[in-house]
Amino acid sequence: MAVPAAEWGSPAWWREAVVYQIYPRSFADANGDGIGDLAGITSRVPYLESLGIDAVWLSPFYPSALADGGYDVDDYRDVDPRIGTMADFDAMVAAFHAARIKVFVDIVPNHCSNRHPWFQAALAAAPGSPERDRFLFRRGLGDGRPPSDWRAVFGGSTWEPAGDDWFYFHLFAPEQPDWNWANDDVRADFLTTLRFWANHGVDGFRVDVAMALAKGFGADFPARLPTRAELEATPIGPDHLLYDRDDVDEIYAGWRQVFDEYDPPRVAVAELWAEPSPRKARYATPRSLGQAFYFDIVHAGFSARRVRRVVDEVLGWGRESGSASTWVLSNHDIVRPASRFGLPVVESDETFAGEDRDRRWLLSRGTTPPEDVEQGLRRARALSAFLAALPGSLYLYQGEELGLREVADLPDAARQDPTFFRSPGESVGRDGCRVPLPWTTGPSFGFGPGGTHLPQPDWFGEYAVAVQDVDPQSTLNLYRRALKLRHELQGAAELAWVDAPAEVLHIVRPGGWEAVINFAPTPVALPFTADQVVLATGEVTAGLLPGETTLWLLTTR
Ligand code: GLC
C-alpha cells in the first residue's frame, strides 16, 4: 500500500505507519560477499511494496569493525564499503521513495567505535585535554583498579584502561566508548550527522539507547562514584547517573529544531529499553523525538490480562505525549516471536520473567524447554494481527512476516554477538534472530551468490518468501492482507473495549472495524457471521472463535 500520495508530504504521515526494520547485513546480498548490502535492499523494494509497509528502518550500515553488529560506528556519515557506497544509498532512497516508502536510519548517539578518529585522538591526547573531554575518561582508584565496580550491559567492567591509571567508560563493549554529551563538539557533530542524512533524503531516525545519553559523571565529578549495588538501587530518572536524566531533554530539543528545518519535518523514534520509567512518554512529545518504542508489549508475553494492561498504558502514553502509540513484537535484539510464543507461558503478576526464560532456552541451544513450533506460530500470528488493528504505528522486523523462528543452535564458532564472548555461560547472544533471510529454496536460500555470514539451518527453506508467496494461508500472505486492510479501515485513532470473557480481548474501532483475540487454547463462542469476517489468523466457522486466534470483523457494512 505504502504511504498514500495525499499523506506523503503531510507532517503526520508517520502516525499510523507500518515500519519494517531491515538488518542490512542479513537482508539480501547483491555482490556475493556473504554480507547483505544496499544494492540487495534496492533489489527487494518490489517485495516490500507487495508487503504493504509504509517505511523501512535500516539498522547501522556505517563503516564499522562489527564489534557489535555495526552499533560500533567508525564514521557516522558514510557507508561501510562491504555494504555499498553513498551512491548506492542515494539509489536505494530513490527506489523506496518511488514506491512511496519512507526511509529511517539508525542513529547511535550514546557511543561510537574505538576506531572513530575522535576516540583515537582522545587516546593519544593527555588527560584533561579537549580531545579527552569528548568521552568519559576518569582516573582509576590506583593500582590498576577502575573508578567503580560497574558492570557493562554486555558483561565485564564498564571501564577500560587507557594508560597511566586512566580509564574510559563504555556502557556496552570496550570497543564502544561512550560520548560525553556535556561536550559542545559532540552535540554539534550529531546535528551535522542528522542534517547529512536528512539532506540525503532520509525521512526519519531511530535513536539507539535514547535514555542514556546524558550521564551524571565526568572526569572530575562527583568525587566518589556509587558502587554497583548503589547504582542499581537508584530508580531510573533524574537521580540516576546513567539513565533517563533530565539533561537528555535538552539534547533532543536541539535535534527537534533540526528536524523542523525540513518539510515535512523529519521524524524520530526513541529506543527505550531501560527499566520501566513513568517518565518515558516525554521522549515522544513533539518537543522531543516525537515517538518512542515501548517494549512493555514484548514483556506482556501471550497473556490476555497483561496485554490488556499494556495496551491501555501505551495508549495512555500516546495521549499524554501527543504522539501516536507504537507496537513492536520483534527486533534484532530479541528472540523471534514465533519461537518465544512456542515456549511455556511465564505467569507472574508484575514482572515478566520471559526474558530470562528466553536466555536460558538459548543457553540450552533451543532444547530446554522444547519449542512447540505450531503453537508458537499460531500465537505469533494471532498477537501480530491484534496489534495491527490498534491505533498507532506498527514496527516489524525482517522475517517476522514469514513467521521465522529463532536459530537457537548456531555453532559457537559462527557466533558474532559480543554478549556471547563477554558473558560466557550466561548468554549466547542475539545472532539467532540475525541469520540471513530465506528468499527461495536454492543455495543460501536466495540470500546471495556468495553464501551467508551466519549459517542458515536446513528448515529455513520452509519459510522462504518464494514458498509462502504461492500459499494463500502463509504467514506472508496473512501479513499482506492485514496491512492492506489496515490501510483501508484506518480512520480516527480511537478504540473502545468490548466486554469479553477473561481470555479474550475485543476492541472496536470507528467504522465498525473489530478485532478479537482468544488467548486460550480452546474455542469460545462469539456472535458473528461468516460475512462479517475480513481477516482470520486461523480457520474459523461462524459463531466460534478458535483458540489462539485473532479475527477482524466488519460489523457495519
Ligand atoms: C541497542 C541496539 C543493540 C545494540 C545496543 C548498543 O540496544 O538495538 O543492537 O547492541 O543498542 O548499541
Side-chain angles (χ1 to χ4, degrees):
M1 283 297 290
V3 179
E7 284 171 32
W8 183 257
S10 145
W13 68 265
W14 51 274
R15 295 187 74 94
E16 306 286 326
V18 177
V19 184
Y20 181 96
Q21 181 191 355
I22 293 177
Y23 193 74
R25 286 178 181 78
S26 300
F27 189 68
D29 177 22
N31 69 4
D33 64 357
I35 298 175
D37 44 39
L38 299 182
I41 296 171
T42 306
S43 73
R44 307 298 159 140
V45 170
Y47 168 73
L48 294 169
E49 213 179 345
S50 84
L51 182 57
I53 56 155
D54 305 298
V56 288
W57 142 36
L58 269 67
S59 277
F61 49 79
Y62 315 112
S64 166
L66 305 183
D68 179 21
Y71 283 89
D72 45 321
V73 180
D74 296 352
D75 179 351
Y76 288 87
R77 300 191 282 271
D78 204 351
V79 177
D80 184 335
R82 288 166 290 188
I83 293 192
T85 60
M86 280 307 301
D88 292 336
F89 184 84
D90 292 338
M92 179 194 73
V93 171
F96 276 123
H97 284 176
R100 272 196 282 109
I101 294 174
K102 303 263 187 180
V103 180
F104 284 64
V105 296
D106 216 310
I107 291 291
V108 189
N110 179 68
H111 45 266
C112 57
S113 95
N114 57 347
R115 307 199 311 176
H116 190 287
W118 282 11
F119 187 69
Q120 286 298 320
L123 283 181
S129 60
E131 287 84 355
R132 285 212 168 180
D133 188 57
R134 294 170 180 152
F135 297 90
L136 297 168
F137 281 86
R138 210 179 152 102
R139 199 189 284 281
L141 300 179
D143 305 325
R145 285 177 300 145
S148 68
D149 63 348
W150 300 347
R151 189 180 148 89
V153 175
F154 293 155
S157 169
T158 55
W159 298 102
E160 190 69 6
D164 294 334
D165 201 31
W166 281 81
F167 291 76
Y168 68 86
F169 176 84
H170 58 89
L171 193 53
F172 295 91
E175 295 86 354
Q176 294 168 296
D178 282 40
W179 291 108
N180 173 16
W181 273 89
N183 179 283
D184 289 341
D185 294 348
V186 172
R187 290 183 179 227
D189 197 57
F190 271 90
L191 299 184
T192 305
T193 296
L194 296 175
R195 286 198 184 94
F196 176 86
W197 292 109
N199 292 341
H200 276 275
V202 158
D203 305 284
F205 301 93
R206 178 265 190 188
V207 182
D208 193 58
V209 208
M211 261 192 196
L213 272 49
K215 309 284 197 309
F217 59 93
D220 41 30
F221 69 98
R224 174 192 166 272
L225 293 180
T227 63
R228 177 178 168 193
E230 287 165 344
L231 186 69
E232 287 174 357
T234 312
I236 283 174
D239 299 329
H240 199 279
L241 292 188
L242 303 179
Y243 296 118
D244 199 22
R245 298 174 57 79
D246 286 340
D247 19 351
V248 81
D249 295 350
E250 176 206 326
I251 298 171
Y252 297 135
W255 291 25
R256 170 55 53 191
Q257 286 177 4
V258 173
F259 300 154
D260 289 349
E261 288 166 8
Y262 294 86
D263 179 25
R266 297 316 188 229
V267 302
V269 59
E271 185 212 24
L272 301 181
W273 256 130
E275 299 297 308
S277 162
R279 309 178 344 126
K280 60 187 171 190
R282 75 187 203 291
Y283 294 85
T285 61
R287 223 191 131 250
S288 184
L289 294 173
Q291 227 190 346
F293 285 126
Y294 301 119
F295 291 103
D296 306 65
I297 196 71
V298 170
H299 295 138
F302 197 75
S303 146
R305 185 176 48 82
R306 278 198 305 253
V307 169
R308 166 74 198 249
R309 189 177 65 207
V310 170
V311 169
D312 280 334
E313 270 171 10
V314 171
L315 292 173
W317 294 327
R319 282 190 295 272
E320 185 185 328
S321 59
S323 179
S325 305
T326 55
W327 306 105
V328 57
L329 273 187
S330 184
N331 67 28
H332 65 296
D333 292 327
I334 49 182
V335 170
R336 285 193 176 274
S339 291
R340 287 201 315 261
F341 294 133
L343 301 177
V345 171
V346 179
E347 274 296 346
S348 66
D349 270 346
E350 291 311 319
T351 50
F352 176 56
E355 265 174 286
D356 196 46
R357 175 204 60 193
D358 298 349
R359 190 182 58 80
R360 288 169 191 276
W361 178 72
L362 287 177
L363 271 178
S364 80
R365 307 304 193 261
T367 57
T368 320
E371 180 182 1
D372 185 332
V373 173
E374 274 180 32
Q375 184 175 53
L377 183 61
R378 192 163 59 237
R379 288 175 169 177
R381 286 165 59 113
L383 191 53
S384 307
F386 185 73
L387 296 186
L390 298 175
S393 64
L394 182 67
Y395 282 76
L396 310 177
Y397 172 54
Q398 67 180 42
E400 179 182 340
E401 79 281 17
L402 305 175
L404 205 59
R405 287 189 280 129
E406 185 82 4
V407 184
D409 58 354
L410 284 171
D412 288 356
R415 292 191 186 272
Q416 302 172 5
D417 186 352
T419 47
F420 173 67
F421 303 103
R422 295 192 58 77
S423 52
E426 273 177 61
S427 167
V428 298
R430 304 160 291 178
D431 295 311
C433 62
R434 301 174 178 183
V435 175
L437 284 193
W439 295 91
T440 66
T441 50
S444 84
F445 298 110
F447 171 69
T452 58
H453 66 97
L454 278 169
Q456 298 162 305
D458 293 343
W459 51 261
F460 250 36
E462 295 163 36
Y463 293 82
V465 170
V467 172
Q468 299 206 28
D469 202 30
V470 294
D471 172 4
Q473 302 310 324
S474 69
T475 302
L476 173 59
N477 282 319
L478 173 71
Y479 269 76
R480 285 176 171 154
R481 282 196 299 279
L483 299 190
K484 182 164 184 288
L485 266 169
R486 174 188 150 96
H487 252 292
E488 290 165 12
L489 297 175
Q490 216 139 37
E494 286 163 27
L495 162 157
W497 292 99
V498 179
D499 280 344
E503 289 301 298
V504 172
L505 298 183
H506 189 164
I507 58 156
V508 57
R509 304 273 314 265
W513 173 21
E514 302 187 22
V516 206
I517 177 169
N518 178 7
F519 287 88
T522 46
V524 292
L526 193 77
F528 67 91
T529 56
D531 68 331
Q532 290 174 329
V533 176
V534 290
L535 186 91
T537 65
E539 253 183 68
V540 290
T541 44
L544 207 62
L545 173 60
E548 300 175 339
T549 302
T550 290
L551 275 185
W552 288 5
L553 306 171
L554 207 50
T555 48
T556 53
R557 272 198 291 201

